[in-house]
Amino acid sequence: MEYNTVTFTASDGARVSFPFGFLVERGAILADKINGEDMQSIIGCSNQLWIPGFPAKYFIRDVVSIEFENRAEPPKLPDMRDDGHDYTNRPNVSCRAEYTCRLGQPMVFEGWADDFDRKIVAVEYSLDDCLTWRRYKVEHADAIRWVWWRFEWIPETEGLYTMFVRAVNEDGDVSPHPASHSFVIEGISGTPC
C-alpha cells in the first residue's frame, strides 16, 4: 500500500501531520541521541522529529506514535512565512560543562550549534559578561548537519564564573541570545575536571 501522510503524536497529545514524500525528500529523522548521548540529557526530551531546513517550531518532541495513511489529499505544509517565531535565536547554540573545577586543571566545554540552512563557521565564548569574545573555529561544517563543538579552558583564578557562548554563521551573524553555563573554580586539590 502507498502512503502519502505521516502523523506524529507526542506524549502530551500534540499531533502533527506531514506529506510522506516531503519527509523523505528532506531526510527527516526521529532522533533519540545527539552524538551518541541521550537526548534527554541534552535538550530535555526523549526524542524529537528533525526536518533539515524546516523551522524547528514544527519539530514535535517525545513522539509516542507514528501513523502512516493514504488520504484523499495529503496535508498541506504550514505557511513558511516568518511569523517572528521561526528563527528567534538564529544561529542557535548550546553549552555544557562541569559545575565545579580545580584551579589550573583543564575544563571541557562542549555543545551543538545550528543555523537551519546556513553553515556554522565558529563558536565564540566570553568570560567577562559578553564584553569581549574569543573565537573557536569550527572545521568541516555544512548547512545540513548540526555542529558538535568542544574546547578546553584552563582557569587561572578561583571564583564563580559564567561562560557565555554564541555561534557564528557563514554570513557573520551571531546568536542574539548566547547560551550560558555557570560554574565554580576551586583551589588546587583533588582530581581533574
Side-chain angles (χ1 to χ4, degrees):
M1 180 175 195
E2 299 260 339
Y3 300 107
N4 64 10
T5 302
V6 184
T7 301
F8 299 88
T9 303
S11 59
D12 64 0
R15 290 172 58 90
V16 63
S17 296
F18 290 101
F20 177 74
F22 167 76
L23 296 175
V24 171
E25 177 185 299
R26 289 291 181 114
I29 62 170
L30 185 63
D32 65 351
K33 295 189 183 310
I34 298 176
N35 290 331
E37 294 194 38
D38 287 336
M39 191 169 284
Q40 186 71 40
S41 65
I42 307 278
I43 61 174
C45 62
S46 61
N47 60 49
Q48 184 176 21
L49 172 67
W50 285 344
I51 308 170
F54 203 65
K57 68 181 181 180
Y58 299 110
F59 295 5
I60 192 166
R61 293 178 171 201
D62 290 320
V63 174
V64 294
S65 74
I66 303 171
E67 300 167 47
F68 294 85
E69 49 187 320
N70 191 16
R71 296 182 180 176
E73 190 171 320
K76 295 193 184 314
L77 291 176
D79 187 352
M80 292 294 289
R81 287 178 297 158
D82 185 353
D83 62 2
H85 300 287
D86 288 352
Y87 305 113
T88 55
N89 194 26
R90 179 180 189 167
N92 204 347
V93 68
S94 74
C95 177
R96 71 178 199 168
E98 296 293 328
Y99 292 99
T100 305
C101 193
R102 303 284 180 207
L103 188 65
Q105 298 292 329
M107 187 167 180
V108 175
F109 293 88
E110 58 186 349
W112 54 262
D114 177 54
D115 195 6
F116 304 97
D117 59 352
R118 291 189 180 91
K119 179 171 71 171
I120 298 295
V121 296
V123 173
E124 295 180 336
Y125 68 93
S126 174
L127 285 164
D128 59 7
D129 205 25
C130 304
L131 295 175
T132 60
W133 294 91
R134 294 186 181 169
R135 182 169 281 211
Y136 171 78
K137 289 186 180 179
V138 174
E139 297 180 9
H140 312 297
D142 61 38
I144 297 172
R145 290 177 282 274
W146 288 19
V147 169
W148 186 261
W149 58 268
R150 183 180 191 277
F151 62 84
E152 290 184 2
W153 172 74
I154 300 177
E156 298 176 354
T157 308
E158 295 179 44
L160 176 64
Y161 289 83
T162 298
M163 170 83 74
F164 290 92
V165 180
R166 66 187 186 185
V168 183
N169 72 15
E170 60 190 327
D171 296 335
D173 299 326
V174 299
S175 306
H177 306 287
S180 64
H181 180 77
S182 297
F183 55 96
V184 174
I185 300 300
E186 298 175 342
I188 298 176
S189 67
T191 58
C193 305

